[in-house]
Amino acid sequence: MRQPIGIISMQFVRPFTNKDLGLFERIKGLGFDFVELLVPEPDDDLDVGALCQALTDNDLGVLLAARVNAERSITSVDPMARQHGIDYLKTCIEAAATLGADIVGGPLFGGPLVFAGVRPSPIDETERRARFDRCVDGLSTAANEAVKTGIRLALEPLNRFETDIISTVSQAIEVVDYVDSPGLGLLLDSFHMNIEERSISDAVRTAGDRIIHFQANENHRGFPGTGHLPWNEITQALHDVGYKGPVSLEPFRRDDDRFGVPIAQWRPPLEDESDKLRTSLAFMRAALAMAEHKR
Amino acid sequence: MRQPIGIISMQFVRPFTNKDLGLFERIKGLGFDFVELLVPEPDDDLDVGALCQALTDNDLGVLLAARVNAERSITSVDPMARQHGIDYLKTCIEAAATLGADIVGGPLFGGPLVFAGVRPSPIDETERRARFDRCVDGLSTAANEAVKTGIRLALEPLNRFETDIISTVSQAIEVVDYVDSPGLGLLLDSFHMNIEERSISDAVRTAGDRIIHFQANENHRGFPGTGHLPWNEITQALHDVGYKGPVSLEPFRRDDDRFGVPIAQWRPPLEDESDKLRTSLAFMRAALAMAEHKR
């Protein structure tokens, strides 16, 4: 079976609602094997039954991306935010079961910074250890739930500006190995790894079989192959650790470098990106396949 | 004359006060040619006369790094913050003249995000254009002042999480060329370029002789040579555009990857970093020199 390559729905639209279900035909037509959807929120205008039907109709797989915030964060010092964080992870697992997604990934540990309008701040050693305890407690609870439902949670390190909880692969490994559950693995995103890792390919090799989802994003989060990431080394490392799981593309930076355009802010497409997406997919599929021919 | 390589004072201590003047002897002893200091704030416990004397005593050059915030930001929608932003740039120029620094660099355009606790937000086209106008107005005024004093201002693009005003070299070039003053050039930092540029070396070549200061920082902001930046390509590009100006090191990430350590937050050294700094300096000096031997 070929390695599944998917695209995030945010490439096309945000928020994703009932009127966007027709996108699945386009996504399938572009050649993608699955769509990565944000875990639906209660107030999203999205009918889950119709969503499932549209996935089936288009023979499209699905993975879910979880969204945390300061009010739902398992590592928060606020017990209410912690409880909401755990409740949210359970909601994510239920949503995955309903939609037939077997992986929910993201910064499940909470502790958002820039997108929550929070500055990086020093913490003392007591609080650092308390955060670790809250993190493994919350993830253990959620991983137990996940195992019961046959879902796996994928912990994603985010760069230093997006969180101060887990930014490196080694930090994530520390937590995943401590929780030690078949319901918890790693989601690695090369965009974040480019900022935080000494070597992206070494980090992939260290993570090894803990990796259950890979997001193949360019250094600038544009179309893969248009930046400076060493894709041959990265795909070789994925091959060397035997990773055959899902690979997502999220190249939604947009080709718009005018003064004052807020690059970190999600922006809708400015053009029909179909050709660039087809080329991105072909590039990534070839880079993954080429690793098999080396050595 | 050999290309001057310097180190930022934050590598050792923050804030930098009168009691830290002894560091200059150590910095000189490590082999650095200059120190990069933050522009002193009025409430800093720092005697400017003693500072000048300590620089002279140690035959150490100095460059200044400007610090903006939401309350002093030339691109702000708030006229008071804009005025404070312009006043601050004038203060920076005066400080440079007093200390004998001929360059003041940084995100002089204002508009801080993560370190000001501000989220990236969408802006409409009218506001985007207004920001451009405020940016070139403020910088033109400041550049005129700079020229009178023989100082040059160096505009530094920051990654998408630190600002939504100027994140790429092409955005910075747009502004510098519009202002078109001998008092305004570019400060490029490879840490930010690694996130935002399609190719760091192409961006250096495009910036060309607008570059008046270069910060040679590793992708993870640790010691240069310990990450994955293509230093041979970067120094080759600097050589190709004839850049012989100051090169600063700011490797203050610290070698500390424990869970929950806030990587974006400044942290004091955990060890005597002298050996690592000597090696960093030797590495950068050799990488710059080696470019001369290529081709």
Side-chain angles (χ1 to χ4, degrees), chain A residues 115 117 119-120 125 128 160 165 171 194-198 219-220 227-228 253 257-260 265, chain B residues 115 117 119-120 125 128 160 165 171 194-198 219-220 227-228 253 257-260 265:
Chain A
F115 291 110
R119 293 176 170 86
E125 184 60 12
R128 192 186 71 78
R160 67 189 68 185
I165 304 293
Q171 290 173 335
N194 172 59
I195 302 174
E196 302 302 346
E197 302 300 328
R198 286 165 186 80
N219 68 288
H220 51 57
H228 64 68
R253 173 195 173 132
D257 272 10
R258 290 169 304 146
F259 171 94
Q265 167 69 32
Chain B
F115 290 112
R119 293 177 170 86
E125 183 61 11
R128 193 186 71 79
R160 66 188 68 186
I165 304 294
Q171 291 172 335
N194 171 59
I195 302 175
E196 301 303 346
E197 301 301 328
R198 288 167 184 80
N219 68 289
H220 51 57
H228 63 70
R253 172 192 175 137
D257 271 10
R258 289 169 304 145
F259 170 94
Q265 166 69 33

Side-chain angles (χ1 to χ4, degrees), chain A residues 11-32:
Chain A
Q11 191 66 33
F12 306 94
V13 69
R14 194 178 88 164
F16 185 92
T17 67
N18 286 322
K19 68 174 172 39
D20 304 310
L21 292 173
L23 273 174
F24 291 169
E25 186 177 357
R26 181 164 165 221
I27 289 172
K28 186 72 181 185
L30 288 168
F32 290 103

